[in-house]
Amino acid sequence: MRRDPLGRGWLSWFGAVPVVPAGDSFPWPRRSDGRPLAHVLQLDLEAERRNHRAARFDLTGLPGDGLLQFFHDLETYGEPGDANSLAWQVRWLPKAEDHASSFALAAAPDDLEPGCRAELMPLNTEVFATARSPLDLPDDLPDDVQERYGRVFDWLNEYPYARNTLSRSDDRNPLTPWQDGYEPLAPVSRAGGHGFVEENPDYREHLEQALPLAPGDSHVLLLELNPDQLGAPSDWFHGVRPVQVWIRASDLARRDFHEVWAQIRTDA
């Protein structure tokens, strides 16, 4: 089953044609050296809010309507020295009154590299309960506690596959983490909550330098994308590494997506 080409009800992933407000001039995002960014994600927030139920989706803090788009050069790691590279961009296109005709397909630049536009695929956005990676647990916990936590962690990552109404039946695991022969599915991409990638002090330090916080503010995991889950080309993100996109809680509350920080987690 395929939804309409503007991606309503679907995640537009790995370069599918993005849309822009009809009649507006909306230039394709480019890196500081002029190279056009790859269109990585386009998410219909209203459809995802219905898909995951409003009460759950609203926990992410994301807007409940419009389109969320993510562009990246597929290369820049997200280190402090990348601040002026313009190597990624997140933009929110609010919903107009006439949603069906308020967006038009964006014209890609002639110098956009091959492989930066592909097909539409559904997203298992994680808006359910999340937990920190088992690798973040203290080393001195008893083995049985570590094991139980690991099974619950796997189950939490499985849960969206079963609950996502856009998910295909063959995406789901016939076994649970408590059954013999269980093999974990690929961790789902998510919006908000804890990432499936363990905490790394070096990446945290880079984030704090890139997005300094005022007293009382905090960093929010806006998106964590697992390219391996959705079949990304093998040369994307340095070998389909997870990509984390962070935002200040204060900026998210204001719907200001101009200052976000993207990190390619090459340690995962």
Side-chain angles (χ1 to χ4, degrees), residues 158 169-177 179-183 185:
E158 297 268 346
S169 60
D170 56 357
D171 286 336
R172 303 171 188 177
N173 201 328
L175 301 176
T176 73
Q179 292 178 291
D180 293 336
Y182 168 81
E183 292 290 338
L185 295 173

Side-chain angles (χ1 to χ4, degrees), residues 134 137-153 177-178:
L137 295 181
D139 294 334
D140 57 354
L141 286 178
D143 290 344
D144 62 328
V145 175
Q146 293 269 7
E147 181 181 1
R148 286 199 303 274
Y149 186 95
R151 290 178 187 269
V152 171
F153 182 82
W178 289 269

Side-chain angles (χ1 to χ4, degrees), residues 31 36-37 65 77 94 110 116 137 195 202 204 214 252:
R31 205 166 59 181
L37 304 183
D65 64 73
Y77 293 97
D110 294 336
C116 293
L137 295 181
D202 292 333
R204 174 59 60 176
L252 180 58

Side-chain angles (χ1 to χ4, degrees), residues 77-113:
Y77 293 97
E79 299 176 346
D82 299 326
N84 298 317
S85 65
L86 303 179
W88 55 80
Q89 182 182 126
V90 170
R91 61 192 188 191
W92 172 49
L93 307 179
K95 176 184 175 181
E97 290 185 7
D98 184 3
H99 187 47
S101 61
S102 60
F103 293 108
L105 296 179
D110 294 336
D111 56 344
L112 185 66
E113 295 182 6

Side-chain angles (χ1 to χ4, degrees), residues 54-69:
R56 294 191 182 111
F57 181 87
D58 291 346
L59 294 174
T60 67
L62 285 168
D65 64 73
L67 300 175
L68 190 73
Q69 298 179 336

Side-chain angles (χ1 to χ4, degrees), residues 30 72 93 112 138 165 217 236:
R30 291 179 178 269
H72 201 284
L93 307 179
L112 185 66
T165 59
D217 207 348
W236 278 45

